[in-house]
Amino acid sequence: MSTLVMIDDDEVFRELMSRRLEREGFRVLAFASVEAADAFEGEPVNVVLLDLMLGAESSLGAIEHLNRRFQPAQLVVLTGYASIATTVEAMKRGATNYLAKPVALSQLLSVLKDEARTASPSSESARRVTPAELEWEHIQRVLLEHDGNISLTARALGMHRRTLQRKLKKHSPF
């Protein structure tokens, strides 16, 4: 039985996904924060599922620590705010995969069972990118370059800070 550590601050999602993964044969240890997961002492962990946004904070900085702490075969980042910039950054820091919420259980299981790497590309992944998606990606990249500082990002993008905040309040166009 594989042991899976799930770190997500959404209690409903955490409980629902835990039950589903347990039915699939995983031993799930669910935590609301990286600090709570850090306190876990027990058998080796095979997989870490990490929510990108824990409260108002990004968990990108915790990826390297979690890889050192648990040494999992896989560290999968889950997020409701997917962007190319955060995907690249998560992978650079040691994530093995990055999935956008809501994630289908079948898709998650495919990744966890390592079938996703051998699957052929779907027609969805080969679709054209819309202008709204390109803008979102550019904003996310510039925001990441400025460590999340809205004022500096707005200045770099040549737009008013309130305009940028409105665009960020809208969820990803994906």
Side-chain angles (χ1 to χ4, degrees), residues 34-87:
V34 173
E35 293 77 19
D38 241 356
F40 168 73
E41 295 293 331
E43 74 272 11
V45 172
N46 306 90
V47 178
V48 173
L49 292 180
L50 176 64
D51 186 19
L52 180 65
M53 293 302 293
L54 295 172
E57 298 291 318
S58 168
S59 62
L60 282 173
I63 293 172
E64 293 158 337
H65 168 74
L66 291 169
N67 273 328
R68 281 191 310 275
R69 166 72 173 86
F70 294 110
Q71 299 175 350
Q74 294 185 67
L75 189 145
V76 179
V77 174
L78 299 174
T79 183
Y81 305 95
S83 75
I84 292 173
T86 55
T87 304

Coordinates of all heavy atoms in Angstrom, one line a residue, residues 34-87:
V34 N 1.8 22.8 5.6 CA 3.1 22.2 5.5 C 3.7 21.9 6.9 O 4.2 20.8 7.1 CB 4.1 23.1 4.7 CG1 5.5 22.5 4.7 CG2 3.6 23.3 3.2
E35 N 3.4 22.8 7.8 CA 3.9 22.6 9.2 C 3.3 21.4 9.8 O 4.0 20.7 10.5 CB 3.6 23.9 10.0 CG 4.4 25.1 9.6 CD 3.8 25.8 8.4 OE1 2.6 25.6 8.0 OE2 4.6 26.6 7.7
A36 N 2.0 21.2 9.6 CA 1.3 20.0 10.2 C 1.9 18.8 9.6 O 2.1 17.8 10.3 CB -0.2 20.1 10.0
A37 N 2.1 18.8 8.3 CA 2.7 17.6 7.6 C 4.1 17.3 8.1 O 4.5 16.1 8.3 CB 2.7 17.8 6.1
D38 N 4.9 18.4 8.4 CA 6.2 18.2 8.9 C 6.3 17.5 10.2 O 7.3 16.8 10.5 CB 6.8 19.6 9.1 CG 8.0 19.9 8.3 OD1 8.4 19.0 7.5 OD2 8.5 21.0 8.3
A39 N 5.3 17.6 11.0 CA 5.2 16.9 12.3 C 5.0 15.4 12.2 O 5.2 14.7 13.2 CB 4.2 17.6 13.2
F40 N 4.6 15.0 11.0 CA 4.3 13.5 10.8 C 5.6 12.7 11.0 O 6.6 13.0 10.4 CB 3.7 13.3 9.5 CG 3.6 11.8 9.1 CD1 2.7 11.0 9.7 CD2 4.5 11.3 8.1 CE1 2.7 9.6 9.3 CE2 4.4 10.0 7.7 CZ 3.5 9.2 8.4
E41 N 5.5 11.7 11.8 CA 6.6 10.7 12.0 C 6.0 9.3 11.7 O 5.0 9.0 12.3 CB 7.2 10.7 13.4 CG 7.8 12.0 13.8 CD 9.1 12.3 13.0 OE1 9.8 11.3 12.6 OE2 9.4 13.5 12.8
G42 N 6.6 8.6 10.7 CA 6.0 7.3 10.4 C 6.7 6.7 9.3 O 7.9 7.0 9.0
E43 N 6.0 5.8 8.6 CA 6.6 5.1 7.5 C 6.9 6.0 6.3 O 6.5 7.1 6.3 CB 5.7 3.9 7.0 CG 4.4 4.4 6.3 CD 3.3 4.7 7.2 OE1 3.4 4.8 8.4 OE2 2.2 4.9 6.6
P44 N 7.7 5.5 5.4 CA 8.1 6.3 4.2 C 6.9 6.7 3.4 O 5.8 6.0 3.3 CB 8.9 5.3 3.4 CG 9.4 4.3 4.3 CD 8.3 4.2 5.3
V45 N 7.0 7.9 2.8 CA 5.9 8.5 2.0 C 6.3 8.3 0.5 O 7.4 8.6 0.1 CB 5.7 10.0 2.3 CG1 4.8 10.6 1.4 CG2 5.3 10.1 3.8
N46 N 5.3 7.8 -0.3 CA 5.5 7.5 -1.7 C 5.1 8.8 -2.6 O 5.8 9.0 -3.6 CB 4.7 6.3 -2.2 CG 5.0 5.1 -1.4 OD1 4.3 4.9 -0.4 ND2 6.0 4.3 -1.8
V47 N 4.1 9.5 -2.1 CA 3.6 10.6 -2.9 C 3.2 11.7 -2.0 O 2.7 11.5 -0.9 CB 2.3 10.2 -3.7 CG1 1.7 11.3 -4.5 CG2 2.5 9.0 -4.6
V48 N 3.5 13.0 -2.5 CA 3.0 14.2 -1.8 C 2.1 14.9 -2.8 O 2.5 15.2 -3.9 CB 4.2 15.1 -1.3 CG1 3.7 16.4 -0.8 CG2 5.0 14.4 -0.3
L49 N 0.9 15.2 -2.4 CA 0.0 16.1 -3.1 C 0.0 17.4 -2.4 O -0.4 17.5 -1.2 CB -1.4 15.6 -3.2 CG -1.7 14.3 -3.9 CD1 -3.2 13.9 -3.8 CD2 -1.3 14.4 -5.4
L50 N 0.4 18.5 -3.1 CA 0.5 19.8 -2.5 C -0.3 20.8 -3.2 O -0.2 21.0 -4.4 CB 2.0 20.2 -2.5 CG 2.4 21.6 -2.0 CD1 2.1 21.7 -0.5 CD2 3.8 21.9 -2.3
D51 N -1.2 21.5 -2.4 CA -2.0 22.6 -3.0 C -1.1 23.8 -3.2 O -0.3 24.1 -2.3 CB -3.1 23.0 -2.0 CG -4.1 24.0 -2.6 OD1 -4.1 24.2 -3.8 OD2 -4.8 24.6 -1.8
L52 N -1.2 24.5 -4.3 CA -0.3 25.6 -4.6 C -0.6 26.8 -3.7 O 0.4 27.5 -3.3 CB -0.5 26.0 -6.1 CG 0.4 27.2 -6.5 CD1 1.9 26.9 -6.5 CD2 0.0 27.7 -7.9
M53 N -1.8 27.0 -3.4 CA -2.2 28.2 -2.5 C -2.7 27.6 -1.2 O -3.8 27.1 -1.1 CB -3.2 29.1 -3.1 CG -2.7 29.8 -4.4 SD -1.3 30.9 -4.1 CE -2.0 32.1 -3.1
L54 N -1.9 27.9 -0.1 CA -2.3 27.5 1.2 C -2.7 28.8 1.9 O -1.8 29.5 2.3 CB -1.2 26.7 1.9 CG -0.9 25.3 1.3 CD1 0.3 24.7 2.0 CD2 -2.1 24.4 1.4
G55 N -3.9 29.1 2.1 CA -4.4 30.3 2.6 C -4.1 31.4 1.6 O -4.4 31.2 0.4
A56 N -3.4 32.4 2.0 CA -3.0 33.5 1.0 C -1.6 33.3 0.5 O -1.1 34.2 -0.2 CB -3.2 34.9 1.7
E57 N -0.9 32.3 0.9 CA 0.5 32.1 0.6 C 0.7 31.0 -0.5 O 0.0 30.0 -0.5 CB 1.3 31.6 1.9 CG 1.3 32.6 3.0 CD 2.1 33.9 2.7 OE1 3.2 33.7 2.1 OE2 1.6 35.0 3.0
S58 N 1.7 31.2 -1.3 CA 2.0 30.2 -2.3 C 2.9 29.1 -1.6 O 3.7 29.5 -0.7 CB 2.9 30.9 -3.4 OG 3.5 29.9 -4.2
S59 N 2.7 27.9 -2.0 CA 3.5 26.8 -1.4 C 4.7 26.4 -2.3 O 5.3 25.4 -2.0 CB 2.6 25.6 -1.1 OG 2.1 25.1 -2.4
L60 N 5.0 27.2 -3.3 CA 6.1 26.9 -4.2 C 7.4 26.8 -3.4 O 8.2 25.9 -3.6 CB 6.3 28.0 -5.2 CG 5.4 28.0 -6.4 CD1 5.6 29.2 -7.3 CD2 5.6 26.7 -7.2
G61 N 7.6 27.6 -2.4 CA 8.8 27.6 -1.5 C 8.9 26.3 -0.7 O 10.0 26.0 -0.2
A62 N 7.8 25.6 -0.5 CA 7.9 24.4 0.3 C 8.2 23.1 -0.5 O 8.5 22.1 0.1 CB 6.5 24.2 1.0
I63 N 8.2 23.2 -1.8 CA 8.5 22.0 -2.6 C 9.8 21.3 -2.3 O 9.9 20.1 -2.1 CB 8.3 22.3 -4.1 CG1 6.9 22.7 -4.4 CG2 8.8 21.2 -5.0 CD1 6.7 23.2 -5.9
E64 N 10.9 22.1 -2.3 CA 12.2 21.6 -2.1 C 12.3 21.0 -0.7 O 12.8 19.9 -0.5 CB 13.3 22.6 -2.3 CG 13.4 23.1 -3.7 CD 14.0 24.5 -3.9 OE1 14.0 25.3 -2.9 OE2 14.5 24.7 -5.0
H65 N 11.7 21.7 0.3 CA 11.7 21.2 1.7 C 11.0 19.8 1.8 O 11.4 18.9 2.4 CB 11.1 22.2 2.6 CG 10.8 21.7 4.0 ND1 11.8 21.4 4.9 CD2 9.6 21.3 4.5 CE1 11.2 20.9 6.0 NE2 9.9 20.9 5.8
L66 N 9.8 19.8 1.2 CA 9.0 18.5 1.2 C 9.7 17.4 0.5 O 9.6 16.2 1.0 CB 7.6 18.7 0.6 CG 6.7 19.7 1.4 CD1 5.5 20.0 0.6 CD2 6.3 19.0 2.7
N67 N 10.4 17.7 -0.6 CA 11.2 16.6 -1.2 C 12.3 16.1 -0.3 O 12.5 14.9 -0.3 CB 11.7 17.1 -2.6 CG 10.8 16.9 -3.7 OD1 10.0 16.0 -3.7 ND2 10.8 17.8 -4.7
R68 N 13.0 17.0 0.4 CA 14.0 16.6 1.3 C 13.4 15.8 2.5 O 14.0 14.8 2.9 CB 14.8 17.8 1.8 CG 15.9 18.3 0.8 CD 16.8 19.3 1.5 NE 16.1 20.4 2.2 CZ 15.6 21.5 1.7 NH1 15.8 21.7 0.4 NH2 15.0 22.4 2.4
R69 N 12.3 16.3 3.0 CA 11.7 15.8 4.2 C 11.2 14.4 4.0 O 11.4 13.5 4.8 CB 10.6 16.7 4.7 CG 9.7 16.2 5.7 CD 10.3 16.1 7.1 NE 9.4 15.8 8.1 CZ 9.0 14.5 8.4 NH1 9.5 13.5 7.8 NH2 8.1 14.3 9.4
F70 N 10.4 14.2 2.9 CA 9.7 12.9 2.7 C 10.4 12.0 1.6 O 10.1 10.8 1.6 CB 8.2 13.2 2.3 CG 7.4 13.8 3.4 CD1 7.0 15.1 3.3 CD2 7.1 13.0 4.5 CE1 6.2 15.6 4.3 CE2 6.4 13.6 5.6 CZ 5.9 14.9 5.5
Q71 N 11.2 12.6 0.8 CA 11.8 11.9 -0.3 C 10.8 11.0 -1.1 O 11.0 9.8 -1.3 CB 12.9 11.0 0.2 CG 14.0 11.9 0.8 CD 15.1 11.1 1.4 OE1 15.0 9.9 1.6 NE2 16.2 11.7 1.8
P72 N 9.7 11.7 -1.6 CA 8.6 10.9 -2.3 C 9.1 10.6 -3.7 O 9.9 11.3 -4.3 CB 7.4 11.9 -2.3 CG 8.1 13.2 -2.3 CD 9.3 13.1 -1.5
A73 N 8.5 9.5 -4.2 CA 8.7 9.2 -5.6 C 8.1 10.3 -6.5 O 8.6 10.6 -7.6 CB 8.1 7.8 -6.0
Q74 N 7.0 10.8 -6.0 CA 6.3 11.9 -6.8 C 5.8 13.0 -5.8 O 5.4 12.7 -4.7 CB 5.0 11.3 -7.5 CG 5.3 10.3 -8.5 CD 4.0 9.9 -9.2 OE1 3.4 10.7 -9.9 NE2 3.6 8.7 -9.0
L75 N 5.9 14.2 -6.3 CA 5.4 15.4 -5.6 C 4.5 16.1 -6.7 O 5.0 16.6 -7.6 CB 6.4 16.3 -5.1 CG 5.9 17.4 -4.2 CD1 6.9 17.7 -3.1 CD2 5.5 18.7 -4.9
V76 N 3.2 16.1 -6.5 CA 2.3 16.6 -7.4 C 1.7 17.9 -6.8 O 1.1 17.9 -5.7 CB 1.1 15.6 -7.7 CG1 0.1 16.2 -8.7 CG2 1.7 14.3 -8.3
V77 N 1.7 19.0 -7.6 CA 1.1 20.2 -7.2 C -0.2 20.3 -7.8 O -0.4 20.1 -9.0 CB 2.0 21.4 -7.7 CG1 1.3 22.8 -7.4 CG2 3.4 21.4 -7.0
L78 N -1.2 20.6 -7.0 CA -2.6 20.8 -7.4 C -3.0 22.3 -7.2 O -2.6 22.9 -6.2 CB -3.6 20.0 -6.6 CG -3.4 18.5 -6.6 CD1 -4.3 17.8 -5.6 CD2 -3.7 18.0 -8.0
T79 N -3.6 22.9 -8.2 CA -4.0 24.3 -8.1 C -5.3 24.7 -8.8 O -5.6 24.1 -9.8 CB -2.8 25.2 -8.6 OG1 -3.2 26.6 -8.3 CG2 -2.5 25.0 -10.0
G80 N -6.0 25.6 -8.3 CA -7.1 26.2 -9.0 C -6.7 27.4 -9.8 O -7.5 28.1 -10.4
Y81 N -5.4 27.8 -9.7 CA -4.9 29.0 -10.4 C -3.7 28.6 -11.3 O -2.6 29.1 -11.1 CB -4.4 30.0 -9.4 CG -5.5 30.4 -8.4 CD1 -5.6 29.8 -7.2 CD2 -6.4 31.3 -8.7 CE1 -6.6 30.1 -6.3 CE2 -7.4 31.7 -7.8 CZ -7.5 31.1 -6.6 OH -8.5 31.4 -5.7
A82 N -3.9 27.7 -12.2 CA -2.9 27.2 -13.1 C -2.3 28.2 -14.0 O -3.1 29.0 -14.6 CB -3.4 26.0 -13.9
S83 N -1.0 28.3 -14.2 CA -0.4 29.1 -15.2 C 0.9 28.5 -15.6 O 1.5 27.7 -14.8 CB -0.2 30.5 -14.6 OG 0.9 30.5 -13.8
I84 N 1.4 28.8 -16.8 CA 2.6 28.3 -17.2 C 3.8 28.7 -16.3 O 4.7 27.9 -16.0 CB 2.9 28.7 -18.7 CG1 1.9 28.0 -19.6 CG2 4.3 28.4 -19.1 CD1 1.9 28.5 -21.1
A85 N 3.8 30.0 -15.9 CA 4.8 30.5 -15.0 C 5.0 29.7 -13.7 O 6.0 29.2 -13.3 CB 4.6 31.9 -14.7
T86 N 3.8 29.4 -13.1 CA 3.9 28.6 -11.8 C 4.2 27.2 -12.1 O 4.8 26.5 -11.3 CB 2.6 28.8 -11.0 OG1 1.5 28.4 -11.8 CG2 2.4 30.2 -10.5
T87 N 3.7 26.6 -13.2 CA 4.1 25.3 -13.6 C 5.6 25.1 -13.7 O 6.2 24.2 -13.2 CB 3.4 24.8 -14.9 OG1 2.0 25.1 -14.8 CG2 3.6 23.4 -15.2

